[in-house]
Amino acid sequence: MKAQRKITFFNLAIVLALCLGSLTYGYTFSIVSTTLGQPSWFEYFDLTQVATEPRYAYTNSIIGAMNGCFSVGGLFGALFNGWSCDYLGRRKTLLVATPIAIIGGALQGGAAHIAMFLIGRVLGGFAVGILVVLVPLFQSEIAPPATRGFLVSQHGVVLVFGYSLAAWIGVASYFSKNPAFQWRFPLCIQCLFPLAMLILTPFLPESPRWLLMNDRFDEAWAIVLKLHADGKDPEAEDVHFATEEFYQMRRQVAADKAVASQETLMTLFTKPSYRKRMICGFLTMFGAESTGILVIYNYSVLLYQGLGFSGSLPLILAAAYVSVACCGNYVNSLLIDRVGRVKLLLIGFTGCLITLCFESAMSALYIGITPMNHAGLSAGVFFLFLYITFYGCCIDANTYVYCSEIFPTHIRSRGLSFSVACLFLSTIAYLEAAPTAFAQVGWKYYLLFIILTAINIPLIWYYFPETKGLSLEEIGEKFGDEIVMHLTDLTDEQRAELDREIASNKQQAGAVHVETKAEPNSLTEKSVA
């Protein structure tokens, strides 16, 4: 049977509700960039933006600590999620993350001293470390195969929308006559999104694959049916698809559980098919961060100031920069199910490499040169925007899609948590060092990202399998695992068996869908051994 391409309203509503977690991550992470553009923040905490003052080295260490604390919190949050998602479930883990995000935002917005501010950054990082893993994982487990890339890509789209929102709120706040409002208000806004997520979470269904892993078959079947049928009558094609997918999910989960009982944490690195996934997850996240994306964005205001812009203009350019990234992520979501994950990654990394080379050349030739060369500095801004166009259209959302779908159900949360932990480890190293690196070696810091990206491109081309259009269960075959059955390429025997299942479940499937609850049916009564 051809994989379902239609997206139901119920499916889309869940994806978009989960994107409040993406918005929390994007806004919480990026609000520091606009904070660095507010002179009142520097004045309140007795910091300086003048390189010749004695406190400048201390200021650089605090700026590095702001991002370092966030990344450390994110690292532990991502690792915590690997346990929590399996033990508590996807939905209950949301109820852990959102209150912590609210507290972290409140501490930052109400900070009376720099230590309170940094503690808020740690808590905010911990919360979004959970959310940035959980949201794409949850989305991937409820999406149909043919449109999974588009749906999970909304995590990246909304995440970068959070960047953009933080940037424009920072621009607007800059013109306030109240110095405290200039930096406190944008920081306090970050409490709103996790609060909305906290309110909506009780209304979200649990992941059907997690329910199957915990032997809650009837609940899982009711959710799968509603996800794919969404008001259709029992004769509809979508009901057939839901029946087939649920049958495949049950069989594969049963096989995975039998294997999981004999595995340990080290199996993730010792079993060849798992090890390949872990390497792919690491290279995806590490490679994306090694383009220098977060260094360039988080310090974009400082970079624009270094390129000769002053006043509110650096904030406006930073806001425009992430707005381009937001549009690029939506383009990514439209392309990913057509072009494929791996091909887009290769295009994106190559584009970032080329534009970063030009950007480093413009910085070397024109930053700090007297008299100021406005054409050369404008060219530097152009290449920064071209860089983010490649990254947004091909890489950003794609990384979360790919890492969320390559792991089997019983290790998905741990595998994705490991991948995102690599992201935060990278940001700790890159962001903590960036203020001092730009002050000491300037444009040469770009060479690190140029070299790493040049190494990552052939590794991705050679090592990464393509996953577009396949169900989560079928992707395992790309890594060498045994697949119990294929949803998108059924054998005649499987087709005959499933036709019997569909015929025997038509009326009951309709009843389940109308009543929005599951009743015993032949799918849950049959052995899948």
Side-chain angles (χ1 to χ4, degrees):
M1 174 182 175
K2 185 178 179 180
Q4 183 192 37
R5 296 197 64 87
K6 188 181 296 183
I7 301 172
T8 65
F9 174 79
F10 183 63
N11 207 318
L12 184 62
I14 296 171
V15 167
L16 294 180
L18 289 171
C19 281
L20 283 168
S22 315
L23 186 58
T24 301
Y25 171 82
Y27 191 95
T28 302
F29 185 91
S30 89
I31 193 60
V32 162
S33 178
T34 60
T35 302
L36 293 177
Q38 310 289 0
S40 55
W41 181 83
F42 287 86
E43 292 171 8
Y44 184 86
F45 291 113
D46 194 27
L47 303 172
T48 182
Q49 292 178 284
V50 181
T52 55
E53 290 193 11
R55 291 175 295 139
Y56 188 67
Y58 171 71
T59 299
N60 275 343
S61 67
I62 292 297
I63 293 174
M66 289 166 58
N67 289 301
C69 287
F70 184 87
S71 297
V72 168
L75 171 65
F76 285 104
L79 295 175
F80 171 81
N81 183 85
W83 167 84
S84 180
C85 268
D86 286 340
Y87 185 75
L88 299 177
R90 283 46 167 158
R91 188 170 61 175
K92 288 184 179 178
T93 301
L94 285 173
L95 296 175
V96 174
T98 46
I100 298 175
I102 296 169
I103 295 170
L107 288 175
Q108 293 170 61
H113 46 75
I114 198 66
M116 183 175 174
F117 185 88
L118 293 178
I119 291 171
R121 289 297 287 170
V122 172
L123 291 177
F126 183 82
V128 302
I130 297 173
L131 292 172
V132 78
V133 178
L134 178 56
V135 170
L137 183 153
F138 206 155
Q139 291 171 332
S140 71
E141 292 187 336
I142 64 168
T147 54
R148 186 176 59 248
F150 173 79
L151 290 174
V152 182
S153 291
Q154 302 315 303
H155 169 66
V157 173
V158 177
L159 189 157
V160 182
F161 175 72
Y163 289 179
S164 180
L165 185 63
W168 287 113
I169 288 176
V171 170
S173 299
Y174 179 86
F175 295 100
S176 171
K177 301 299 183 183
N178 185 332
F181 182 89
Q182 288 177 343
W183 65 272
R184 289 191 186 276
F185 175 74
L187 289 166
C188 290
I189 288 292
Q190 65 187 300
C191 299
L192 295 179
F193 314 121
L195 178 61
M197 181 87 262
L198 182 64
I199 293 170
L200 288 178
T201 297
F203 300 98
L204 297 177
E206 183 54 87
S207 163
R209 287 176 168 87
W210 183 83
L211 292 171
L212 286 174
M213 288 295 295
N214 289 272
D215 299 327
R216 294 161 65 176
F217 305 115
D218 293 340
E219 294 173 67
W221 166 236
I223 292 169
V224 169
L225 185 60
K226 190 173 183 181
L227 282 171
H228 298 324
D230 195 24
K232 297 290 185 180
D233 63 74
E235 299 291 335
E237 177 103 356
D238 293 338
V239 175
H240 296 187
F241 176 82
T243 307
E244 292 180 353
E245 184 182 49
F246 183 72
Y247 185 71
Q248 182 197 41
M249 286 165 55
R250 280 207 64 193
R251 289 178 64 96
Q252 192 63 49
V253 164
D256 289 343
K257 286 181 68 175
V259 172
S261 63
Q262 305 171 12
E263 296 176 346
T264 65
L265 184 61
M266 288 305 299
T267 308
L268 292 173
F269 303 95
T270 57
K271 186 175 179 178
S273 62
Y274 293 179
R275 184 170 59 243
K276 181 170 183 176
R277 289 176 168 96
M278 299 295 274
I279 293 172
C280 287
F282 167 77
L283 287 176
T284 300
M285 290 300 184
F286 175 75
E289 295 311 306
S290 295
T291 62
I293 179 62
L294 290 182
V295 170
I296 292 173
Y297 173 63
N298 269 41
Y299 300 110
S300 58
V301 171
L302 302 181
L303 290 174
Y304 295 131
Q305 290 171 348
L307 288 169
F309 300 97
S310 59
S312 62
L313 192 54
L315 283 170
I316 294 173
L317 286 172
Y321 182 85
V322 289
S323 297
V324 171
C326 185
C327 295
N329 270 261
Y330 186 72
V331 172
N332 191 331
S333 73
L334 297 176
L335 293 176
I336 193 168
D337 286 319
R338 294 172 172 81
V339 178
R341 284 67 158 149
V342 177
K343 187 178 293 185
L344 276 181
L345 285 175
L346 290 172
I347 295 170
F349 279 120
T350 303
C352 286
L353 175 63
I354 295 170
T355 53
L356 203 54
C357 288
F358 280 104
E359 175 61 30
S360 62
M362 296 300 104
S363 300
L365 290 173
Y366 301 116
I367 288 183
I369 302 300
T370 305
M372 188 178 296
N373 187 313
H374 293 286
L377 295 175
S378 297
V381 173
F382 167 78
F383 284 115
L384 282 177
F385 275 79
L386 187 58
Y387 165 91
I388 196 58
T389 300
F390 276 106
Y391 190 89
C393 290
C394 301
I395 300 175
D396 204 357
N398 197 356
T399 59
Y400 297 102
V401 174
Y402 194 73
C403 289
S404 68
E405 64 187 12
I406 61 176
F407 297 97
T409 300
H410 66 291
I411 64 166
R412 183 168 295 118
S413 63
R414 283 173 285 167
L416 184 54
S417 295
F418 169 83
S419 302
V420 176
C422 293
L423 180 153
F424 284 111
L425 281 172
S426 302
T427 59
I428 292 171
Y430 296 149
L431 293 179
E432 180 73 23
T436 303
F438 279 123
Q440 297 296 324
V441 299
W443 66 271
K444 295 177 183 176
Y445 193 42
Y446 288 127
L447 296 179
L448 172 65
F449 306 119
I450 290 171
I451 293 169
L452 289 174
T453 303
I455 293 172
N456 286 327
I457 290 172
L459 291 176
I460 292 171
W461 175 80
Y462 175 76
Y463 200 67
F464 280 33
E466 182 54 68
T467 57
K468 74 166 184 173
L470 300 173
S471 70
L472 291 178
E473 286 70 29
E474 292 170 3
I475 288 172
E477 191 171 43
K478 292 282 187 175
F479 292 89
D481 286 339
E482 180 182 352
I483 305 303
V484 176
M485 64 171 289
H486 289 76
L487 178 64
T488 53
D489 186 22
L490 299 173
T491 65
D492 291 340
E493 181 180 352
Q494 290 167 342
R495 165 57 58 198
E497 183 179 0
L498 280 172
D499 284 344
R500 291 193 296 271
E501 294 288 351
I502 290 169
S504 65
N505 282 282
K506 280 181 180 178
Q507 293 183 348
Q508 195 160 21
V512 169
H513 191 57
V514 170
E515 297 171 13
T516 65
K517 66 178 183 177
E519 301 292 342
N521 57 79
S522 61
L523 277 177
T524 58
E525 292 169 355
K526 287 196 173 186
S527 169
V528 294

